[in-house]
Amino acid sequence: MENNLLEGLLDLEEVFYREGYDLGAADGAQAGYTEGSVFAVEKGFEKFLEIGRLYGKALVWSQRQAERDPSNTRDPSQMSQLPSEKDEDFLEPSVCREMSSVPPSSRLAKNVDTLLELVDPASLPMQNIEEAVIDVDERLKGALIKAKLIQRALGERDDAGDIHPDAKDFPQQKSSGDGTGSIEDISSLKLLLVHLSGHGVVAVPESCIIWAHSRPDWSDVPHCRGMRSFSSMHQSLCKCVAVSLLQGFIEQGWFLGLIRYHFFRNVSTMDDVSTFGDTTVANGTLLKGVSSANFLVYDKERGLEILGAEPSYKFMFAVSEAVHEAPVYVASQNKLYLSQLAPPPGYLPQLVVDLNEDPPTLSEYLSDPPVYAPNGGTFHDGKIIWGASGGNRSIGGSEQRISLRTLDPETNKSVTLLNNYFGFYFNTIDDLAVHPKTGDIWFTDPQYSWFNALTDTPPQLPSASYRYNASSGAVFVVDDSIGQPNGIAFSPEGSVVYITDTAAVSAPVDPQYGHPGSLFNATQRRTVYAFDVSEDGTSAYNKRPIYMASGFVPDGLKVAANGYIVAGVGRGVDVLDPSGQLLLTIQTNYTVQNFAWTGPELKTLWLMGNGGISKVEWQLGGQELR
């Protein structure tokens, strides 16, 4: 009996432990269920709120299309099979009437229709099952991508100005964010990122009109109480605290070198080029402030020096979705010549921007004889030098082959310098540069003309870069190690040549596939390489990579008068120092192919690409071309 009693006492602790464990497990399960239910409701509300916002934007876009296009007889209320005939499904005409015109575009119309279908409230599943949740998530993801494509096509920003015509008159208010006041609540920041040099983050105001925003209250943001102004660097910034150092962001694990988990950035496609601002970070917040800025500064001292006291970005001309390339500034005429490639193949006239007019005008230009598809260009010895990338047996009344051409802007006459490599057609002649001491023309020869139906013959040569000596007519291979050599530029003294490899955009060369177009492969090279140039200027050696573009391939490439490297990198232009450190990014709403400096001091940069031509005023001057 005594043994049984002692055994019971020894088991008492285990009994109490088991009882407590069961009670705790039951309470925890109940609390977990309640907490999970609340969280699910919150996330569901956030998703449907975003879907509703996109639905409203889609309705505005569709109605603007219907009103601006006289040939469009569709009733916008019937588009995408809208859910009902009630008046609340339609917009008051005044909502759209004061907005800018929507350019006619079948691609744009298709994107709007697709967006309406994705966010149609009548078709959204409401069941609380896994399949419905997946369907809503996929719809929302697709809708966000379509909305971004539409905004970029229209040149709009993702803000209140997209939705209401009077939004520009609304006072600038601080966003509420997630309400926590934590370092992760970045949606309330009015100053924009980005800088990492071991000291912190430089913020540039949303439009980079540096007096357009007031200073937010940082007193309640952890680790940001030490924020200070850089107005002493540029006295003009004293109009407001517009450029500031955000102390503590790096320590908190934010931006560039170290990003707080969980973060994710979509991989680019040919139709949707990713930018740093597309990164989703921490609590699921998109860096919308970053994506809507015109300039991103990564090195505070040199970046601000590049921008100067009054930087500006202005979208100048909406052009076709064709590639726009080969810009050449003729200072004696104060005109900027550039090309328009396919689509459609066979387009012969080029374009010219007359900078003598106020505002500048854009018109077509046709040389004698015509130059088919200039893809790279420069100015030397009084003439435009173009790399003609098109090949066709009967275009413009004659046969044209990929070649080096000169154009006298005063007489309008063009002359062919080089059109073969020992009997073989060149592949493309994409970009070119003149060595500042020898006068030799260096050019790149990738395979894009075949991919994009600019030539009727498949590649006969490997991708390579060449040097052409105009005095002797001799042509030399200077490098054949780059997958798709593209942009090329010399340092001011000619001792270094930079060549970009855009192999991340490529396609099959086998004729059985025809003209396949190009695809973007993020795992392939999108790199800027530097080569040393021999003292006599005849060869390149000591190849080394100095920069890999993050979102897309580095296409157009030029070197400023101070030696900084400028590269077109998809939705904008990156500025690098000679070691390859990123100093500044210009952001655009279209894919930039190339650019050129203009003006008496060569401090106006004109950018051009698929769908747009724009200009930047800053303090970074270009090299004078003679």
Side-chain angles (χ1 to χ4, degrees):
M1 186 69 179
E2 291 181 0
N3 289 339
N4 291 339
L5 179 61
L6 290 175
E7 289 177 1
L9 290 173
L10 292 173
D11 293 339
L12 187 59
E13 182 178 355
E14 177 65 25
V15 171
F16 285 147
Y17 169 81
R18 177 55 55 187
E19 182 178 351
Y21 174 85
D22 292 341
L23 287 173
D27 290 345
Q30 181 62 38
Y33 176 80
T34 303
E35 183 179 349
S37 298
V38 171
F39 179 76
V41 171
E42 289 176 351
K43 299 307 291 185
F45 176 79
E46 290 175 6
K47 291 176 183 178
F48 275 82
L49 182 65
E50 181 65 12
I51 289 174
R53 187 183 74 89
L54 293 171
Y55 182 57
K57 291 167 76 74
L59 286 176
V60 172
W61 283 324
S62 66
Q63 186 160 318
R64 287 170 65 190
Q65 271 191 314
E67 291 181 356
R68 303 304 185 190
D69 186 359
S71 65
N72 189 350
T73 58
R74 296 178 299 172
D75 181 352
S77 67
Q78 300 300 319
M79 293 179 64
S80 298
Q81 301 177 348
L82 299 185
S84 72
E85 300 296 326
K86 296 180 181 180
D87 292 340
E88 55 265 27
D89 290 326
F90 309 116
L91 299 171
E92 291 292 335
S94 62
V95 173
C96 301
R97 192 167 294 145
E98 300 177 22
M99 293 184 175
S100 59
S101 301
V102 173
S105 167
S106 59
R107 182 179 177 183
L108 178 61
K110 181 179 179 181
N111 283 333
V112 172
D113 287 349
T114 302
L115 176 59
L116 280 167
E117 293 173 1
L118 288 170
V119 296
D120 181 355
S123 64
L124 290 174
M126 298 298 177
Q127 301 90 346
N128 189 21
I129 56 177
E130 184 176 357
E131 290 78 6
V133 173
I134 293 174
D135 184 31
V136 170
D137 286 345
E138 291 297 322
R139 281 175 173 239
L140 179 56
K141 182 179 179 181
L144 287 168
I145 292 173
K146 287 298 178 185
K148 184 165 64 173
L149 289 173
I150 295 168
Q151 284 172 216
R152 287 175 173 174
L154 296 177
E156 296 179 352
R157 300 297 190 189
D158 187 13
D159 55 25
D162 291 348
I163 301 173
H164 197 285
D166 299 324
K168 60 183 179 295
D169 299 323
F170 291 167
Q172 294 289 333
Q173 297 179 350
K174 185 176 177 180
S175 302
S176 60
D178 65 9
T180 65
S182 72
I183 200 70
E184 296 179 1
D185 185 15
I186 63 171
S187 58
S188 63
L189 308 188
K190 289 298 184 183
L191 297 181
L192 305 184
L193 306 249
V194 192
H195 164 66
L196 176 60
S197 67
H199 299 291
V201 179
V202 165
V204 183
E206 190 165 72
S207 65
C208 265
I209 306 301
I210 50 186
W211 48 84
H213 293 277
S214 60
R215 176 178 179 173
D217 181 11
W218 293 95
S219 58
D220 294 330
V221 181
H223 302 284
C224 289
R225 297 184 182 90
M227 191 178 69
R228 58 186 177 84
S229 167
F230 282 102
S231 57
S232 59
M233 183 179 298
H234 293 294
Q235 293 301 318
S236 63
L237 301 186
C238 292
K239 298 178 181 178
C240 80
V241 183
V243 181
S244 302
L245 176 64
L246 309 187
Q247 301 283 8
F249 267 64
I250 300 304
E251 290 87 341
Q252 289 293 313
W254 270 99
F255 300 116
L256 300 184
L258 187 65
I259 300 179
R260 191 174 286 233
Y261 295 119
H262 175 69
F263 60 88
F264 180 75
R265 176 175 170 181
N266 284 324
V267 173
S268 295
T269 67
M270 296 299 290
D271 293 326
D272 187 18
V273 176
S274 167
T275 67
F276 177 57
D278 296 324
T279 307
T280 303
V281 293
N283 58 357
T285 305
L286 279 172
L287 303 182
K288 293 180 179 178
V290 176
S291 61
S292 64
N294 295 131
F295 304 102
L296 298 182
V297 177
Y298 295 88
D299 183 290
K300 68 175 184 295
E301 182 175 351
R302 292 181 290 177
L304 293 177
E305 183 181 8
I306 291 169
L307 290 177
E310 297 184 358
S312 67
Y313 170 90
K314 187 175 182 180
F315 187 90
M316 298 299 294
F317 303 107
V319 291
S320 74
E321 288 296 319
V323 171
H324 291 82
E325 264 278 11
V328 179
Y329 177 56
V330 179
S332 62
Q333 296 181 337
N334 197 28
K335 292 182 178 180
L336 178 66
Y337 294 79
L338 64 141
S339 69
Q340 178 169 303
L341 309 183
Y347 185 84
L348 275 177
Q350 308 313 321
L351 302 175
V352 60
V353 179
D354 190 343
L355 302 175
N356 300 293
E357 302 293 330
D358 188 16
T361 59
L362 180 69
S363 59
E364 288 191 344
Y365 172 85
L366 193 63
S367 61
D368 178 26
V371 179
Y372 180 34
N375 208 340
T378 190
F379 187 82
H380 180 65
D381 198 20
K383 293 182 176 62
I384 294 171
I385 303 176
W386 262 337
S389 64
N392 194 290
R393 293 195 66 176
S394 59
I395 187 169
S398 64
E399 182 172 3
Q400 297 236 11
R401 289 297 162 196
I402 296 165
S403 56
L404 286 178
R405 309 279 287 273
T406 62
L407 169 66
D408 188 331
E410 301 300 330
T411 65
N412 196 37
K413 296 295 184 180
S414 67
V415 175
T416 300
L417 298 179
L418 174 72
N419 66 2
N420 76 96
Y421 185 76
F422 298 99
F424 292 112
Y425 300 142
F426 288 106
N427 299 322
T428 295
I429 302 191
D430 191 287
D431 207 353
L432 55 88
V434 174
H435 190 275
K437 293 181 178 179
T438 67
D440 287 357
I441 303 169
W442 293 45
F443 62 92
T444 57
D445 190 42
Q447 299 162 332
Y448 293 120
S449 289
W450 173 251
F451 302 155
N452 300 322
L454 282 173
T455 182
D456 55 11
T457 57
Q460 299 177 327
L461 296 167
S463 296
S465 299
Y466 298 86
R467 176 177 63 87
Y468 171 73
N469 181 275
S471 300
S472 65
V475 60
F476 307 85
V477 176
V478 293
D479 179 74
D480 64 354
S481 67
I482 291 178
Q484 296 290 347
N486 199 318
I488 184 170
F490 287 101
S491 61
E493 71 285 354
S495 61
V496 178
V497 62
Y498 302 97
I499 304 176
T500 69
D501 189 349
T502 55
V505 173
S506 193
V509 298
D510 192 327
Q512 69 174 318
Y513 297 108
H515 302 284
S518 301
L519 295 176
F520 179 76
N521 182 347
T523 65
Q524 288 296 320
R525 292 185 298 277
R526 47 187 191 272
T527 308
V528 179
Y529 290 95
F531 297 76
D532 293 324
V533 178
S534 60
E535 290 188 11
D536 61 2
T538 62
S539 60
Y541 64 97
N542 190 25
K543 173 188 174 185
R544 67 266 186 197
I546 63 167
Y547 183 66
M548 184 174 70
S550 68
F552 203 57
V553 293
D555 194 343
L557 188 73
K558 289 180 172 59
V559 177
N562 68 352
Y564 286 169
I565 306 157
V566 185
V569 289
R571 298 282 175 175
V573 170
D574 283 348
V575 181
L576 320 168
D577 72 6
S579 70
Q581 180 180 338
L582 179 60
L583 308 178
L584 175 79
T585 293
I586 304 168
Q587 296 198 127
T588 63
N589 62 342
Y590 62 93
T591 298
V592 175
Q593 270 99 38
N594 220 319
F595 46 87
W597 277 279
T598 69
E601 297 182 278
L602 298 177
K603 291 184 178 179
T604 301
L605 190 72
W606 284 77
L607 294 68
M608 61 281 306
N610 301 112
I613 299 175
S614 54
K615 71 169 183 174
V616 168
E617 301 288 351
W618 58 358
Q619 290 302 304
L620 185 63
Q623 296 187 56
E624 184 178 1
L625 304 178
R626 299 178 181 177

